Amino acid sequence: MNDEREHLRFGVTLATDRHPGQSAAEVLARTVEVARRAEELGLDDVWVTEHHFLDTAVNPSALTLAAYLLAKTETLHVGTAVTVLPLHSPVHTAEQAALLGQLSGGRFSLGVGRGFPGVEYDVLGPGLAAWRAGLAGPLDRLLGALRGEVSADPALSAVRLTPPVHTSSGPPVYVAAGSPTSIELAADRGLPLMLFFDKGAEAKAEMVALYERRRLSGGHPKPAAGHAFAVFTQVCDAPENARRLMRDRARFILSLNNHPSRLLGDAVPAPPPVSAANVEHLADTLLSTHPVGSAETCAERLAHHIRASGCTRVMCQVEAAADTGDVLRNLERLATEVFPAVRHRVGAARARIRV
C-alpha cells in the first residue's frame, strides 16, 4: 500500500494583495517572485485568484496570470482559484485551459466558481440573472468543450477544440463550493471541491460528507484529484504580530465584496461592512482556527484541517505581510518547518487508524 502522505499536495494561493502604498507593478513582481521561490522550495502548486475593480487585489485574469507563472516555472503546477466562469465564455475558457495544458505539459489546473454578484457583474455584462442562474449551465458547456463537444448545434458538429486537451481526461477542474447546491453540482459531475477561508475544519468536513453522500447516492465517479482547501498560513512567533497581520487579512477579506454594485439592492444579502468591530471579530476567528502562530501551532492546525476534512490539496495564503522579504521568510518556514511536520502528523494518524 502506498503511503497516504504522498497524496498530500502543498501549495500557495497568491491573491495579488495590495497593501497601502504599493503599486500594481510591485504587487505583481512580488507574486512572480513568491511563485518562483515556491518552486525552488519544492512546493507542489500555486493558485491564483481573479478579482475585478478592487484597490486591494490587482489581478483581473486568473488565466492570464497562470499562463505567465507557468512560463516562469518548470515543475510547479499552477491553477486558478478561481476563474469566475459566468463572466467568461465557457468554450473560450476551455480553449485557454487546453492551451495552457499543452504549453505546460499538463501543469495547469482550472478552478471555477461564480463569485459574488458585485460590480463585475454590472460592468462585464452578464448581470444579476447570470449569477442567479448558477454555475451548472456554464460548467456543463465548459466540460463538454473539454470532452470535444464544442457545440450542440448539429450543423457545427465538426467544430473541434484547438488545441486538444493535453490528456484524454483534460486538465483537472475544481468547483468552488460554498453552498449545498454547489457541492451537489460538483458531486454530480465527479469534480473535486475547492473550499475557502470562511469555513473551519469541521465545516469543511460536513461539506465533504455531503459531497460523498450525493456522489454515492447518484452512483457518480470518485474525483480524479483530491479536494482542495484554502487557509491563511502565517508562521509568526510573536502573538502581537500575528494579531496585526490577521487584522490586515480581515480587512482584506471584508473589502473583497464591498465594492458598490447597482445589482444588489434587496436581491442578495449585503456583505458585512468593513467596520472596526467586524474586522476584530474576523481577526479573532482567523487567529483561533487558521494555521497562524508558531511553527508548532501552524503544523497542528493544518494537520487538523486535513484530518478532519479529508482534503488533500492545501492552498496556503502567505501574503499577509506587506514586505516581500517577510512573505518569502514565511514561505521558507512553511516549507522547511511546517509542511514536513504536517506530513508526519497526518501519516502517523492514518497509520494508527489502519492498525
Side-chain angles (χ1 to χ4, degrees):
M1 178 182 293
N2 292 333
D3 190 334
E4 291 183 77
R5 290 172 294 182
E6 295 305 315
H7 296 293
L8 287 176
R9 294 183 67 91
F10 291 97
V12 296
T13 301
L14 298 176
T16 61
D17 297 4
R18 175 156 56 184
H19 296 269
Q22 292 180 335
S23 69
E26 289 171 330
V27 172
L28 294 171
R30 180 194 69 210
T31 299
V32 175
E33 187 173 359
V34 173
R36 296 182 73 169
R37 184 60 179 142
E39 179 173 62
E40 292 172 355
L41 290 166
L43 272 67
D44 299 296
D45 309 302
V46 162
W47 302 88
V48 294
T49 62
E50 174 184 324
H51 295 292
H52 299 271
F53 314 118
L54 293 175
D55 293 330
T56 51
V58 303
N59 178 35
S61 175
L63 286 165
T64 301
L65 183 55
Y68 191 82
L69 295 181
L70 285 167
K72 290 290 184 179
T73 56
E74 296 180 359
T75 60
L76 198 67
H77 285 239
V78 180
T80 64
V82 296
T83 295
V84 184
L85 193 57
L87 300 180
H88 305 273
S89 159
V91 175
H92 190 203
T93 300
E95 287 183 309
Q96 293 174 83
L99 177 62
L100 293 181
Q102 290 281 6
L103 288 169
S104 66
R107 291 191 290 127
F108 176 70
S109 298
L110 178 66
V112 297
R114 65 172 178 162
F116 187 80
V119 70
E120 58 266 44
Y121 277 85
D122 287 296
V123 176
L124 298 178
L128 185 59
W131 183 86
R132 281 177 165 164
L135 196 62
L139 179 61
D140 286 341
R141 287 292 312 281
L142 169 78
L143 296 175
L146 290 173
R147 291 192 301 266
E149 303 159 8
V150 174
S151 175
D153 186 342
L156 301 176
S157 60
V159 176
R160 294 288 181 266
L161 202 67
T162 305
V165 295
H166 178 67
T167 63
S168 59
S169 59
V173 177
Y174 290 78
V175 176
S179 68
T181 299
S182 54
I183 293 168
E184 292 171 356
L185 174 69
D188 288 346
R189 286 146 183 81
L191 301 176
L193 299 173
M194 185 176 283
L195 308 177
F196 284 93
F197 308 104
D198 58 332
K199 301 295 189 296
E202 286 67 31
K204 291 183 177 77
E206 292 174 3
M207 296 170 81
V208 172
L210 172 59
Y211 179 99
E212 281 299 298
R213 290 194 299 271
R214 177 76 174 202
R215 184 183 70 79
L216 293 172
S217 67
H220 302 300
K222 186 175 181 180
H227 300 304
F229 72 95
V231 281
F232 288 104
T233 315
Q234 181 71 38
V235 183
C236 196
D237 296 319
E240 61 274 17
N241 289 339
R243 170 159 286 279
R244 174 179 56 80
L245 291 171
M246 289 306 102
R247 189 181 290 122
D248 288 344
R249 294 303 82 203
R251 289 194 190 95
F252 173 77
I253 294 171
L254 292 171
S255 76
L256 291 179
N257 295 329
N258 269 277
H259 208 296
S261 171
R262 63 176 171 79
L263 293 177
L264 297 183
D266 296 327
V268 179
V274 189
S275 66
N278 286 332
V279 167
E280 290 299 327
H281 175 72
L282 183 52
D284 286 340
T285 300
L286 297 177
L287 283 167
S288 62
T289 60
H290 284 246
V292 176
S294 68
E296 174 71 14
T297 296
C298 289
E300 179 51 42
R301 288 184 181 172
L302 200 50
H304 175 62
H305 274 266
I306 294 167
R307 291 193 299 256
S309 69
C311 298
T312 56
R313 303 296 190 267
V314 184
M315 306 160 61
C316 295
Q317 218 286 2
V318 298
E319 300 167 292
D323 181 76
T324 298
D326 290 338
V327 173
L328 294 173
R329 280 186 285 276
N330 179 43
L331 181 62
E332 289 164 6
R333 292 195 68 182
L334 289 171
T336 58
E337 299 176 47
V338 175
F339 296 158
V342 172
R343 286 192 185 277
H344 176 75
R345 289 169 188 247
V346 171
R350 288 174 175 169
R352 288 196 296 272
I353 292 171
R354 288 196 293 271
V355 171

